[in-house]
Amino acid sequence: MNTDFTNLTTKNLSNEHLCCIIRSKKSHPGIEAKRQWLSDRLNEGHVFRKLNAKATVFIEYAPLETAWVPIIGNNYYYLYCLWVLGSSKGKGYGKSLMEYCLSDARENGSWLSDQSFAKKFGFEVVDTTDNGYELLALSFDGTTPEFAPNAKNLKIESEELTIYYDMQCPYIYKYIEIIKQYCETNDVPVSFIQVD
């Protein structure tokens, strides 16, 4: 197993590939939006760790206090994405990335995840919503995070289709355009709200 991992920083961000989009040979409009989003987040403690190879092997997490999620808690990390794809699967990369994150969390606080893979590492359900979303956490001090009240409300004021989005994922740009075209063609009232 290749153990050469790299953490993205503001200094190397422009030269490193973004693992989740490398399969595309064409220029992808979401890449620069993702780089800009990351450059703003890295100074907030956001971590993007990837295998130093042309492969989809990475983990992305941030302190809960700066994570873009409706979850309340102190001294937790929120896992945005853990992805191992293709020929890299089954080689221990996911475990290695999770162990890195857990080690980082033990140094700086606890860690939070919404992925079932985390249950293998002792994560437990600490909160739920009425429609089935589960919040998993591994607490080192007995405290637990919880969904913010607005996340449990499941309502917004607008009656039309309303999509909140950010540019964290490079695929968002493409799918926002597809949804806009569909709604325009089918006369579906829609609002797009970019979270900043």
Side-chain angles (χ1 to χ4, degrees):
M1 178 174 89
N2 179 356
T3 57
D4 184 16
F5 288 92
T6 299
N7 284 19
L8 296 184
T9 66
T10 54
K11 292 182 179 172
N12 70 5
L13 179 59
S14 63
N15 298 324
E16 293 289 336
H17 70 82
L18 300 179
C19 301
C20 53
I21 200 77
I22 62 172
R23 291 173 311 282
S24 175
K25 295 190 188 291
K26 296 179 185 177
S27 178
H28 194 287
I31 291 175
E32 285 312 309
K34 170 71 174 190
R35 284 189 202 284
Q36 181 58 52
W37 189 91
L38 273 173
S39 72
D40 294 338
R41 304 289 76 76
L42 291 172
N43 292 327
E44 297 171 350
H46 190 96
V47 175
F48 190 109
R49 183 172 178 79
K50 68 184 193 73
L51 185 63
N52 199 13
K54 193 166 184 174
T56 302
V57 178
F58 70 97
I59 191 168
E60 196 172 354
Y61 61 91
L64 183 56
E65 293 83 355
T66 61
W68 289 30
V69 293
I71 299 171
I72 300 166
N74 294 313
N75 299 319
Y76 277 85
Y77 282 163
Y78 181 83
L79 174 64
Y80 285 105
C81 194
L82 171 61
W83 198 1
V84 178
L85 188 65
S87 64
S88 298
K89 289 176 86 170
K91 295 183 179 176
Y93 290 124
K95 181 180 180 190
S96 179
L97 289 167
M98 182 70 86
E99 288 172 348
Y100 177 87
C101 183
L102 288 171
S103 175
D104 194 12
R106 283 187 178 95
E107 281 184 34
N108 299 303
S110 293
W111 185 77
L112 175 69
S113 173
D114 67 349
Q115 296 189 14
S116 63
F117 180 72
K119 289 181 180 179
K120 295 177 183 178
F121 290 85
F123 288 75
E124 299 176 341
V125 176
V126 296
D127 199 4
T128 60
T129 63
D130 290 341
N131 63 340
Y133 283 100
E134 294 180 336
L135 179 59
L136 302 179
L138 175 63
S139 178
F140 301 142
D141 65 3
T143 64
T144 57
E146 62 187 8
F147 284 112
N150 63 334
K152 288 189 171 189
N153 188 15
L154 302 176
K155 293 181 184 175
I156 60 174
E157 290 181 24
S158 177
E159 293 291 322
E160 67 186 10
L161 174 61
T162 304
I163 298 176
Y164 293 88
Y165 69 98
D166 65 31
M167 288 300 173
Q168 180 181 2
C169 176
Y171 291 105
I172 294 295
Y173 184 90
K174 173 184 172 183
Y175 291 113
I176 290 296
E177 292 305 313
I178 290 170
I179 295 168
K180 281 180 184 177
Q181 288 178 347
Y182 177 87
C183 290
E184 186 176 300
T185 302
N186 294 285
D187 294 323
V188 175
V190 63
S191 292
F192 293 91
I193 301 170
Q194 186 171 354
V195 178
D196 62 7

